[in-house]
């Protein structure tokens, strides 16, 4: 289970990396809004999942 939680944390960090990557001035500049949306979704979804798992662990389920 610990490896699964670490994978979720790594996914959140990857979402932050997608938000911070500088794409201006490259041929990928047109994809910047898409990478921002994917980064925000990754952060939100995986964070909510970790919060859910934490609450379930506190409740003993």
């Amino acid at each position: 289970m610990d490896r699964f939680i670490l994978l979720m944390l790594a996914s959140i960090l990857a979402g932050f990396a997608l938000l911070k990557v500088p794409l201006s001035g490259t041929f990928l500049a047109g994809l910047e809004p898409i990478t921002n949306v994917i980064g925000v979704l990754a952060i939100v979804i995986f964070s909510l999942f970790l919060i859910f798992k934490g609450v379930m662990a506190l409740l003993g389920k």
Side-chain angles (χ1 to χ4, degrees):
M1 187 62 149
D2 293 330
R3 294 183 68 142
F4 187 68
I5 299 298
L6 289 176
L7 178 64
M8 295 295 121
L9 289 174
S11 300
I12 293 171
L13 288 176
F16 279 113
L18 275 176
L19 288 178
K20 294 295 183 180
V21 68
L23 294 177
S24 59
T26 66
F27 68 95
L28 296 173
L31 297 177
E32 189 167 8
I34 296 171
T35 60
N36 286 341
V37 169
I38 293 172
V40 168
L41 283 176
I43 294 167
V44 170
I45 290 171
F46 291 117
S47 295
L48 287 175
F49 182 77
L50 283 177
I51 291 170
F52 174 75
K53 290 299 252 184
V55 168
M56 285 296 141
L58 285 174
L59 295 177
K61 297 189 178 203

